[in-house]
């Protein structure tokens, strides 16, 4: 029979064939060597400059994530003192009221209200939810 001499070719049903990235639906990727950025982070890895190899879609294409090869991923970089100081400074800006200077243990609605709730409308704040503002004489030094 003619045609039996041809080699069998493995076809990926998710490959669009036009050179673009394959698109997997939710829970359909099924590959052990692909992971999202969040999954890589849980494994202690980062993409490491590699390009995504596929796209994972859910909710009918309204939400999606890139998939990366795990074997090309690199270890996460450790936190340095400079990074930790920058992160603390950024979080302090989101947690400190501009009026009463209290630093809360949660982010306060600075963009919408401009201050903490106690300064905005008088709603009392739980003293266990913030640290006291620094003393005035220490700020002048």
């Amino acid at each position: 029979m003619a045609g039996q001499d041809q080699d069998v070719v493995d076809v990926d049903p998710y490959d669009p064939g036009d050179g673009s990235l394959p698109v997997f639906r939710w829970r359909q990727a099924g590959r052990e060597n692909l992971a999202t950025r969040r999954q890589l982070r849980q494994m202690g890895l980062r993409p490491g400059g590699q390009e995504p190899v596929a796209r994972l879609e859910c909710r009918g294409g309204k939400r999606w994530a890139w998939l990366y090869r795990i074997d090309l991923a690199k270890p996460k970089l450790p936190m340095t003192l400079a990074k930790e100081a920058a992160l603390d400074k950024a979080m302090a800006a989101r947690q400190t009221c501009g009026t009463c200077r209290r630093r809360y243990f949660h982010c306060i609605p600075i963009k919408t209200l401009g201050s903490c709730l106690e300064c905005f409308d008088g709603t009392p704040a739980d003293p266990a939810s913030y640290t006291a503002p620094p003393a005035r004489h220490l700020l002048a030094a």
Side-chain angles (χ1 to χ4, degrees), residues 107-128:
C107 295
I108 58 175
I110 295 176
K111 288 186 178 179
T112 55
L113 302 181
S115 62
C116 64
L117 283 174
E118 188 167 350
C119 294
F120 180 72
D121 63 2
T123 304
D126 181 15

